[in-house]
Structure formats: C-alpha cells, structure tokens
C-alpha cells in the first residue's frame, strides 16, 4: 500500500469514528482566553498600565518598584510619549515576561522589534540590556573575561551575565548571526530554572555558576525564525540549532504598522504635515509590494520613512527621497521606484 493510500484510509477511519465525512470535520480554533477573576499579590491589570485591553483578555502583570541600586535603575529606559505601539504584540510580550517565557520576536526590517521590547520594559519599570549580535562578537563580551585593573587581574562580567545578576530583560538582537559557540553558551539559560556557567572564570564550579535573578528574562529578536533566509535579503543569517529554537516558549511575529499608525509615527517624529505623510505611506506600500514581488531588491522600512520625513526639513520631498533611499538602489531599481513615486506624487 502506498503512503498516500494509507493516509487516505486513516483519514476516512477517523472521519467514520467521528460520524462525519472529512469535509465536515471543522478546523481547530484557538480557545478563548479569559482573564483571571482576581489579581495575584502585587499585580495590576494590564489595561491599567497600557491603556487598552488585549484581544485575548485582560490579565495581571507586575510593574517593578524603582530599584535602590543605581546600577540597576540606570538601565530602566524612559517612556517615549510618541511611540506607536502594536497593541496585541505588546500584550503578548508582556504576558511572556510575566510568565517567565523565553521569547522570540521576529519580523521584517524596521518593523519595531527592538523598540517594542524597550517600550514594554519602560512601562513595566524593568532594566533593559540590548545586545547587537554579529558574527564576530566574542563570548568574553557577553559572558565575561579577566581584565587588569589597578595592577591586579580581576573578573569583569559581560552583558548577559550582568543582565542575569541584575534581573534585567536581555534583548539579543539579530540573534541569527550568533556563532554556535555563543548559542551553546546560552542553552542553559534558555532552560526552565536554567543557569549560566562561566567556564573561563577562575575559582570553583560554584564560583563559575550564576543563578539568574528571578526577574531576569531573555528575548531574542531577528528577521527570521532561525531556519535560514529564503528571501536572500538578510546577508549572514545562519540556520540555528534546532535545540535552541525549541527552547523558545513564546513567539511573536511583527508586521509593518497600519497605514494610519505609520502616518502618526511620521508626523510625531518630524514636522511633515499629515497630507504629505499619507502620500509617503501610500508610496511605501507600493515599494513594499514591488519588493515582495521580487521586482526590486530593497524595501522601505518605517525607519527609512522617518529619515525621509526628517530630510524634508532641508530638502524638498523628491530630493529628500533621493538622499535617504533612491541612492541605495541599483539604477534599474531606482528607475522603477521613481515610476512609483510619480504615481503618488504626480
């Protein structure tokens, strides 16, 4: 019997057992998530801090008190009053931080991955440490190394170790670029009840073991989900160990903001009037469609939109576009984008 025939027979048997034909079997739907009727000690409602209720229901969260340790307090970011939040995605991140999840945030360039994590930390009064990963980042800068200070050799913690000790939210940005050596160093931290082992630190095994603060959280962010780049748009992105990917317990996929929200971002970050901002967003949508269709090799991110808007303080709209975006393109792509520009700004 062929595999296809076997699969067909199994499907029919299941359908007969349910008393339905295969076409009658409904698709699985996500269960409704209901908020708890009471809050745990020290918690407040999500809606009371963020000003809205998530689509999956309100829930209790922890806003940390201001730390008396100045080294920790200085790591808490300030709230950006002009930040335009992607509401459901922010709620998913807050839920993951509340539940102690290891979170992966993925999305296209400029979709606001790192700024989302920073914004949430500011609202929750949590210390925030961001690490920009690259292929040449050494483990010493992340976990720690021996340094000479005052004529003596002492151990100096790296960024990840510092975050674990301080109970910070540690954002590993562009995580797909990290080397296998560093990925293996992170493995224990990604486990439930995990710890950090500093193999280069002098002393006993107890001296080398760091048990993270109870408020320590790991968030990884990147353009892919760690299984390589099929688009060819992200140079240097590698396929990560499946054991690492399997350890993420909360995955959030960001997309670009809605047109209305992007207009609000542009007008809040520049002095461009709303009518021009609306046309800029329409133009950006055409560019993105052309990129996704494979017609041009570079897309227009919200970051580029803001830069284009700010350049209009010095140049007219067309020349601001040229210096902020067009000059990055190949001649053929630039010609195609100029045609799209003419459709919107004719």
């Amino acid at each position: 019997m062929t595999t296809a025939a076997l699969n067909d027979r199994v499907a029919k048997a299941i359908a007969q057992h349910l008393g339905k034909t295969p076409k009658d079997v409904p698709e699985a739907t996500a269960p409704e998530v209901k908020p708890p009727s009471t809050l745990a000690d020290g918690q407040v409602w999500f809606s009371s801090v963020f000003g809205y209720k998530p689509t999956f229901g309100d829930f209790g969260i922890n806003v940390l008190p201001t730390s008396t340790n100045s080294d920790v307090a200085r790591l808490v970011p300030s709230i950006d009053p002009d930040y335009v939040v992607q509401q459901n995605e922010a709620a998913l991140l807050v839920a993951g931080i509340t539940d102690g999840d290891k979170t992966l945030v993925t999305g296209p360039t400029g979709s606001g991955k790192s700024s989302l994590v920073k914004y949430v930390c500011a609202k929750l009064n949590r210390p925030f440490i961001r690490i920009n990963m690259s292929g040449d980042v050494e483990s010493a800068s992340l976990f720690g190394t021996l340094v000479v200070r005052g004529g003596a050799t002492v151990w100096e913690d790296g960024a990840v170790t510092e975050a674990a000790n301080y109970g910070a939210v540690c954002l590993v940005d562009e995580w797909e670029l990290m080397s296998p050596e560093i990925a293996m160093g992170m493995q224990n931290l990604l486990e439930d009840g995990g710890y950090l082992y500093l193999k280069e630190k002098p002393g006993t095994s107890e001296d080398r073991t760091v048990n993270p603060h109870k408020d320590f959280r790991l968030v990884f962010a990147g353009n892919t989900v760690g299984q390589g780049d099929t688009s060819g748009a992200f140079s240097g992105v590698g396929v990560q160990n499946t054991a690492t990917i399997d350890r993420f317990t909360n995955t959030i996929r960001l997309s670009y903001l809605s047109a209305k929200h992007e207009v609000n971002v542009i007008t809040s970050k520049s002095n461009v009037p709303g009518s021009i901002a609306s046309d800029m967003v329409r133009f950006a949508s055409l560019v993105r469609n052309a990129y996704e269709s494979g017609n041009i090799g570079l897309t227009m991110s919200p970051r580029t939109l803001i830069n284009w808007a700010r350049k209009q303080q010095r140049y007219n709209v067309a020349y601001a576009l040229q210096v902020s975006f067009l000059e990055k393109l190949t001649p053929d792509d630039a010609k195609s984008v100029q045609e799209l520009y003419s459709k919107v700004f004719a």
Side-chain angles (χ1 to χ4, degrees):
M1 181 182 296
T2 65
T3 302
L6 179 60
N7 290 340
D8 184 63
R9 176 173 292 186
V10 170
K12 289 180 178 179
I14 293 174
Q16 289 174 357
H17 176 71
L18 295 174
K20 301 176 180 180
T21 65
K23 293 183 179 180
D24 294 330
V25 179
E27 294 183 359
T29 57
E32 180 184 359
V33 180
K34 296 182 179 180
S37 57
T38 59
L39 295 171
D41 289 342
Q43 286 192 330
V44 295
W45 292 112
F46 174 94
S47 58
S48 69
V49 175
F50 288 84
Y52 65 91
K53 290 185 179 181
T55 57
F56 54 84
D58 211 353
F59 60 97
I61 64 174
N62 300 98
V63 178
L64 300 186
T66 300
S67 176
T68 56
N69 184 334
S70 59
D71 289 334
V72 176
R74 66 179 172 80
L75 296 174
V76 178
S78 57
I79 297 175
D80 180 0
D82 296 324
Y83 181 74
V84 179
V85 64
Q86 297 190 47
Q87 294 186 349
N88 205 53
E89 289 76 7
L92 291 171
L93 178 58
V94 174
I97 290 175
T98 303
D99 297 340
D101 282 329
K102 282 73 178 178
T103 299
L104 172 62
V105 182
T106 182
T109 299
S111 56
K113 298 179 290 295
S114 57
S115 57
L116 174 67
V117 182
K118 184 178 180 180
Y119 169 79
V120 164
C121 288
K123 297 290 283 186
L124 298 180
N125 202 38
R126 284 181 175 266
F128 168 74
I129 293 178
R130 176 180 175 180
I131 300 168
N132 286 88
M133 197 59 65
S134 65
D136 59 356
V137 169
E138 297 181 353
S139 60
S141 64
L142 301 180
F143 305 121
T145 187
L146 290 168
V147 298
V148 177
R149 185 177 296 135
T153 302
V154 297
W155 176 264
E156 185 176 86
D157 287 338
V160 175
T161 308
E162 188 179 54
N165 285 324
Y166 287 162
V169 174
C170 182
L171 171 63
V172 182
D173 212 356
E174 310 295 347
W175 78 282
E176 317 99 311
L177 301 179
M178 68 183 179
S179 66
E181 175 192 3
I182 292 175
M184 288 302 102
M186 294 280 196
Q187 290 283 40
N188 277 335
L189 278 178
L190 290 169
E191 294 280 2
D192 289 337
Y195 60 91
L196 183 60
Y197 187 75
L198 308 173
K199 61 180 181 180
E200 304 297 335
K201 186 177 182 179
T204 65
S205 293
E206 184 177 354
D207 296 328
R208 296 172 179 172
T209 301
V210 176
N211 291 302
H213 188 285
K214 64 180 180 64
D215 294 323
F216 172 67
R217 299 290 186 271
L218 267 176
V219 179
F220 284 45
N223 301 118
T224 72
V225 292
Q227 300 181 50
D229 171 35
T230 57
S231 68
F234 307 111
S235 176
V237 168
V239 176
Q240 294 297 319
N241 192 308
T242 55
T244 301
I245 299 172
D246 189 57
R247 283 168 166 78
F248 295 122
T249 54
N250 186 36
T251 306
I252 303 168
R253 187 180 296 274
L254 294 182
S255 58
Y256 290 126
L257 293 168
S258 67
K260 179 181 177 181
H261 282 172
E262 279 201 307
V263 169
N264 290 339
V265 170
I266 292 170
T267 54
S268 67
K269 300 288 186 181
S270 70
N271 60 1
V272 168
S275 58
I276 296 295
S278 295
D279 286 342
M280 291 170 63
V281 171
R282 285 174 52 212
F283 168 73
S285 179
L286 295 177
V287 172
R288 291 165 186 168
N289 289 338
Y291 171 77
E292 291 173 0
S293 301
N295 296 326
I296 60 174
L298 186 65
T299 191
M300 177 168 273
S301 70
R303 187 183 298 116
T304 300
L305 274 173
I306 294 170
N307 183 39
W308 178 18
R310 288 173 174 169
K311 285 290 186 289
Q312 292 175 42
Q313 294 177 353
R314 181 177 297 275
Y315 311 117
N316 63 31
V317 178
Y319 198 71
L321 176 65
Q322 181 174 331
V323 298
S324 62
F325 185 64
L326 288 182
E327 296 293 0
K328 300 177 183 179
L329 304 176
T330 64
D332 287 343
D333 285 356
K335 183 178 179 180
S336 298
V337 171
Q338 285 172 328
E339 292 174 356
L340 298 177
Y341 177 87
S342 298
K343 292 180 179 180
V344 177
F345 290 91

